[in-house]
Amino acid sequence: PHYSIQYWGWPAAIMRAVDAGVKQIVLLAAGLDARAWRLPRLGEKSVRVFEVDVPRALAYKRGRVAALPEGVS
């Protein structure tokens, strides 16, 4: 199945899709959104999350994540 959702309903809609068997999620214009990291069930269910954005935005996000203190994700 394919799902298309708006930002405000992301967590609940994603978890319904995962419960229905979705194994991959693509986030378009991901920006600094970190919700995928805050939903541990995605990892528990072996769901792959792909973030798509312009290279500059993804590079900035990688830099911000790399600068987090140890133990923070």
Side-chain angles (χ1 to χ4, degrees), residues 6 11-12 15 19 24-25 27 32 41-43 64-65 72:
Q6 293 178 344
M15 296 322 301
D19 290 340
Q24 295 182 354
I25 298 168
L27 300 176
L32 293 179
R41 283 189 51 217
L42 296 178
R64 297 288 301 206
V65 170
V72 175

Side-chain angles (χ1 to χ4, degrees), residues 44-61:
E44 294 166 8
K45 298 258 187 176
S46 300
V47 175
R48 295 188 70 183
V49 178
F50 298 91
E51 295 185 341
V52 179
D53 210 321
V54 295
R56 184 175 174 190
L58 293 174
Y60 179 76
K61 184 175 185 175

Side-chain angles (χ1 to χ4, degrees), residues 12-45:
I14 289 297
M15 296 322 301
R16 283 194 303 274
V18 167
D19 290 340
V22 167
K23 292 294 182 189
Q24 295 182 354
I25 298 168
V26 178
L27 300 176
L28 301 176
L32 293 179
D33 192 310
R35 292 176 192 228
W37 291 326
R38 296 189 310 229
L39 294 172
R41 283 189 51 217
L42 296 178
E44 294 166 8
K45 298 258 187 176

